[in-house]
Amino acid sequence: MSAEATDPATPEAAGRRRARPRLDVRGLRRIGRAALIGTAGRDGLPDALEHVAQVHRRHHPDAGLDILSKAYALAESSHRGQMRKSGEPYITHPLAVTLILAELGAETTTLTASLLHDTVEDTEVTLDQVREQFGAEVCYLVDGVTKLEKVDYGAAAEPETFRKMLVATGNDVRVMSIKLADRLHNMRTLGVMRPEKQARIAKVTRDVLIPLAERLGVQALKTELEDLVFAILHPEEYATTRRLVDEHADRPDPLAAIAARVRTTLDEAGIQARVLVRPRHFVSVHRVRMARGELTGADLGRLLVLVAEDADCYAVLGELHTCFTPVVSEFKDFIAAPKFNLYQSLHTAVTGESGQIAETLIRTHQMHRVAEAGVIALGNPYAPTDGPDAPEGERADPTRPGWLSRLLEWQRTTPDPDTFWTSLRDDLAQDLEITVFCAGGPPGGPADGTIGLPAGASCVDAAYARYGEAAHCCIGARVNGRLAALATVLHDGDSLHLLMAPDAPDTAAGPAPEWLDHARTPAARLAISRWLSRSAGQDTGEPAPQPPPPGPAATGHDTAAAAEITPAAVLAVADLPGASVRLAGCCTPVPPDNVTGFAVRGGTVTVHRALCPVVARMAATGRQPVGVRWRRAGRTGHGCRVTLLAEAFSRPHLLADLTEAIAAQGVAVVSAAVEPPHEQRVRHTYTLHLPNAAGLPSLMRAMREVPGVFDVLRPGRDRPAAALRP
């Protein structure tokens, strides 16, 4: 039940109004009084609904109001006699939630559902009644919010329940929009609760709902929720921040003077723009104070420049950087590269005549609406349903932020609810984002573009963010034009070119266990863990599947491995009737290596070199080897894959010289990885395709002859690969 709150007139609320304009609080009081009186207003609307209708018409002039009046009548009659803890009629709560959403520009269907959002849970109204009177869309939203009301978001939350509820939300972002507005009103009126319950609700809001608001782009809700949580969980810091804001309230505002100069500059340039001083909310002021120490008046707000067209944003930027001294390090272009939550704006900073620095946001009016209201400002993104029933399964939402798409992908491919819950909490905790410009990949894959990643993400994370499970085939990367290890940490604005394995099946392709050490995003860690778990069949008896072919991100269904018809099936034969043969990717055996095999489920025999460390592990667990031998024709007549390690002294052009030596032998490079130099030594790892296995010794000799190279060997031969580092 949503009656967790009461008194809207708290001292904290008054302080917040000084810091930054909030959503309409006076309107909430008006509808509260009207709900008590219960009289009819103009145009047949109840007085309690009149202010909601006025606000709604500002955003949607042609909106029909009959359905809102009908929804209010049902909500008021069903909640009649129910009271909030403050003593107000319960109907004031759904009215307040609806007004919050109306202020943000929500469309009529969302407002209708918000009026009814507590009826199914708290009254005798049924979903069938809602569907019959208001249609499938409203029923779908009310059902989603009702399910969310039953979720405990705290540390003791039942992961599977949370997973189902949040996935239902992901299928229609309006469900979470209503839930966020519901939580905001409850947080505003939390004053009558016991302090320990206030703290519990505030922590849940901080840990789950505020990050969700950020990811849905609903900044207006997010910032006010942050301030409310800040006041409850950190009352001393909140009081200090509020005092600093109050101290500057009666002083001249340096931003106002800079804003006046900006208006004059843009007028003279013939650019129509609205220039505003936008106060920071309390949490933002606190963060600035923690980062900069002593605050100035200019630190308490930012300039906001609103224009009509995208091109005008760049025209404004040019004028500001021409007529003011810009702070170059503060420039960011979120128009060309929107953030993961649909946010678009130009960020810059300019210096005023007195030396004060004014952070400046430049955006169109539409960008501003989306920046404030996120997905709420985008209206109804779904096509009307043909039938009377609500849609089944995932709905096609062209406006869904990328984070929600990833959420749905995780739940499809992560059967363990605890793993899903842990991954989600980790993702919500990552509040800093970088933008990477990504290119490369397999034919038919995603076009070049930008991807958003959490700060500290690596090339591994970028590969899985771009290609899903097809990233198993990633073999390298170029960062800002230079070859880089997949472990390389990316930075904001980096250019990334991902190198993918060719389309031909390759038993050696697939993520290495150390990729987990380099993966920061849950999407990457989950995909790698699934692959490694399946590939562990070499040790556990499970067959290791092939990686999916390069292409767009997988849909979450496992890619079935074919019957392993690779060169191995021609080169080697097992002493096990009917068994197919697979060359192990860990040691890439080739004729005339001394080999042994182990049977795994599915009628497959995995062939290892006798010196491979896996063989010793298999024997230690009691696994019985299977005899395997090379076919005679395989000694000279068939191509094969092999992995070679080149140990060398670090020097310029070493990679180019080694690659040239390999090409001169008629050998194709499938993948190459270069580790950072250590004590002036470097190790190169190559996966190569040899047209003839008999050419391996001459290839290794040719590589050893490259100046600076002191050894070329194969993993598991003479000494294990892990021991190659001096």
Side-chain angles (χ1 to χ4, degrees):
M1 191 169 181
S2 299
E4 290 186 331
T6 55
D7 186 16
T10 62
E12 288 80 7
R16 282 190 303 277
R17 283 195 294 274
R18 290 193 204 104
R20 181 173 178 177
R22 288 175 24 169
L23 299 174
D24 191 348
V25 177
R26 286 178 296 180
L28 298 180
R29 293 172 180 165
R30 286 171 52 187
I31 63 177
R33 289 193 298 269
L36 286 169
I37 298 172
T39 58
R42 297 186 298 274
D43 302 325
L45 291 173
D47 275 348
L49 199 60
E50 205 168 281
H51 186 56
V52 173
Q54 292 173 2
V55 173
H56 185 41
R57 280 281 174 85
R58 288 206 300 264
H59 294 278
H60 304 277
D62 300 325
L65 302 178
D66 290 346
I67 191 170
L68 290 180
S69 182
K70 183 179 177 182
Y72 172 77
L74 177 60
E76 193 280 329
S77 62
S78 60
H79 286 299
R80 191 173 298 159
Q82 295 180 350
M83 308 297 287
R84 305 196 81 214
K85 292 186 181 296
S86 60
E88 295 173 310
Y90 192 82
I91 188 61
T92 59
H93 172 66
L95 274 170
V97 172
T98 304
L99 180 59
I100 290 170
L101 291 167
E103 288 281 350
L104 293 171
E107 37 77 49
T108 307
T109 301
T110 303
L111 300 188
T112 304
S114 69
L115 283 169
L116 300 169
H117 78 270
D118 276 335
T119 55
V120 173
E121 181 188 7
D122 295 339
T123 76
E124 295 182 356
V125 174
T126 67
L127 281 174
D128 288 338
Q129 287 178 269
V130 174
R131 181 184 291 107
E132 181 180 348
Q133 296 186 43
F134 301 97
E137 285 290 324
V138 172
C139 179
Y140 188 92
L141 298 178
V142 172
D143 184 34
V145 178
T146 300
K147 291 175 179 176
L148 280 173
E149 289 295 333
K150 300 175 182 178
V151 176
D152 175 10
Y153 298 88
E158 168 58 44
E160 180 62 19
T161 302
F162 183 86
R163 168 179 170 161
K164 289 178 179 178
M165 299 306 100
L166 197 53
V167 167
T169 299
N171 286 340
D172 195 322
V173 294
R174 294 173 295 177
V175 173
M176 185 54 76
S177 300
I178 297 171
K179 177 60 185 176
L180 289 170
D182 172 82
R183 177 53 60 97
L184 175 58
H185 183 243
N186 284 336
M187 286 293 297
R188 283 176 176 176
T189 57
L190 207 59
V192 297
M193 293 290 179
R194 299 187 308 275
E196 59 272 18
K197 189 166 187 180
Q198 291 187 38
R200 182 184 68 82
I201 295 172
K203 287 177 181 176
V204 171
T205 304
R206 177 196 63 193
D207 294 343
V208 178
L209 295 178
I210 287 176
L212 286 173
E214 167 73 14
R215 280 152 177 75
L216 294 177
V218 193
Q219 293 296 318
L221 297 183
K222 179 229 178 189
T223 54
E224 190 175 343
L225 284 171
E226 281 186 327
D227 281 354
L228 290 163
V229 168
F230 187 38
I232 293 172
L233 298 183
H234 305 282
E236 294 182 1
E237 291 91 336
Y238 174 82
T240 299
T241 304
R242 180 177 175 181
R243 185 173 62 253
L244 288 171
V245 172
D246 291 342
E247 289 173 355
H248 284 85
D250 298 327
R251 302 175 187 175
D253 185 358
L255 290 179
I258 299 176
R261 283 191 60 203
V262 170
R263 292 189 193 99
T264 301
T265 299
L266 298 181
D267 285 343
E268 292 174 352
I271 302 174
Q272 293 186 351
R274 187 180 179 196
V275 183
L276 306 171
V277 175
R278 184 177 177 80
R280 293 182 184 271
H281 65 294
F282 283 151
V283 169
S284 180
V285 172
H286 174 71
R287 289 171 180 160
V288 171
R289 185 170 70 90
M290 292 295 99
R292 302 177 186 172
E294 192 70 23
L295 290 177
T296 68
D299 293 325
L300 300 181
R302 293 185 287 190
L303 297 186
L304 174 63
V305 182
L306 299 177
V307 294
E309 304 290 340
D310 290 13
D312 295 336
C313 295
Y314 293 98
V316 170
L317 181 69
E319 291 297 324
L320 292 184
H321 283 197
T322 300
C323 301
F324 294 81
T325 301
V327 181
V328 179
S329 61
E330 294 293 324
F331 173 68
K332 288 191 177 181
D333 187 346
F334 293 116
I335 296 178
K339 296 183 72 174
F340 64 96
N341 58 5
L342 311 177
Y343 176 88
Q344 289 184 287
S345 188
L346 294 179
H347 289 204
T348 189
V350 296
T351 305
E353 293 179 339
S354 62
Q356 298 273 20
I357 295 177
E359 295 184 28
T360 306
L361 312 176
I362 308 168
R363 58 179 71 140
T364 66
H365 294 280
Q366 173 61 15
M367 291 175 191
H368 183 58
R369 284 191 289 271
V370 175
E372 290 293 287
V375 295
I376 298 176
L378 300 175
N380 183 355
Y382 308 105
T385 55
D386 295 327
D389 296 326
E392 296 291 336
E394 182 181 347
R395 297 141 66 85
D397 178 0
T399 65
R400 178 192 293 140
W403 179 82
L404 273 176
S405 296
R406 295 199 302 272
L407 175 78
L408 296 176
E409 179 67 17
W410 295 348
Q411 68 87 21
R412 279 195 296 263
T413 58
T414 311
D416 178 26
D418 291 297
T419 302
F420 175 78
W421 170 251
T422 301
S423 300
L424 178 64
R425 292 292 292 267
D426 289 345
D427 189 73
L428 291 177
Q430 297 169 355
D431 57 353
L432 297 178
E433 187 193 43
I434 62 171
T435 299
V436 175
F437 298 88
C438 198
D448 294 355
T450 61
I451 52 177
L453 296 166
S458 68
C459 296
V460 171
D461 296 303
Y464 283 95
R466 185 167 172 81
Y467 296 112
E469 294 207 0
H472 295 330
C473 296
C474 188
I475 56 176
R478 289 183 180 272
V479 177
N480 300 325
R482 302 182 62 180
L483 280 175
L486 289 175
T488 301
V489 174
L490 299 168
H491 299 91
D492 196 39
D494 277 349
S495 174
L496 175 66
H497 185 99
L498 293 166
L499 307 175
M500 309 295 284
D503 291 339
D506 179 14
T507 56
E514 56 265 26
W515 284 24
L516 284 174
D517 298 331
H518 313 316
R520 177 175 172 84
T521 60
R525 295 187 63 83
L526 290 172
I528 295 167
S529 296
R530 284 194 300 271
W531 168 265
L532 295 176
S533 177
R534 297 196 299 262
S535 297
Q538 292 180 342
D539 292 311
T540 65
E542 291 287 345
Q546 295 288 1
T555 61
H557 302 289
D558 290 337
T559 303
E564 304 294 348
I565 304 301
T566 70
V570 179
L571 287 170
V573 62
D575 297 335
L576 189 65
S580 61
V581 177
R582 175 177 60 216
L583 296 183
C586 53
C587 57
T588 57
V590 297
D593 289 339
N594 184 17
V595 292
T596 188
F598 290 92
V600 295
R601 288 196 306 186
T604 300
V605 172
T606 303
V607 179
H608 295 264
R609 295 169 62 214
L611 294 174
C612 179
V614 172
V615 172
R617 292 202 301 268
M618 293 282 200
T621 60
R623 296 284 295 278
Q624 294 299 314
V626 174
V628 292
R629 63 187 183 278
W630 299 112
R631 292 182 184 272
R632 182 176 300 276
R635 292 181 181 272
T636 58
H638 297 278
C640 62
R641 296 283 173 94
V642 65
T643 298
L644 295 180
L645 305 173
E647 290 282 315
F649 294 105
S650 180
R651 65 171 178 83
H653 310 299
L654 175 62
L655 178 62
D657 292 345
L658 272 168
T659 305
E660 183 178 353
I662 292 169
Q665 297 292 313
V667 175
V669 178
V670 177
S671 68
V674 181
E675 297 184 8
H678 177 76
E679 296 180 356
Q680 301 302 313
R681 299 186 182 188
V682 67
R683 179 170 66 178
H684 294 203
T685 303
Y686 296 93
T687 299
L688 307 170
H689 181 85
L690 280 68
N692 191 320
L696 180 59
S698 62
L699 169 65
M700 296 176 69
R701 284 195 300 269
M703 293 175 66
R704 289 191 183 105
E705 291 172 0
V706 172
V709 176
F710 58 81
D711 204 359
V712 176
L713 34 126
R714 298 169 62 192
R717 185 165 189 168
D718 298 329
R719 47 184 170 149
L724 290 174
R725 175 69 66 203

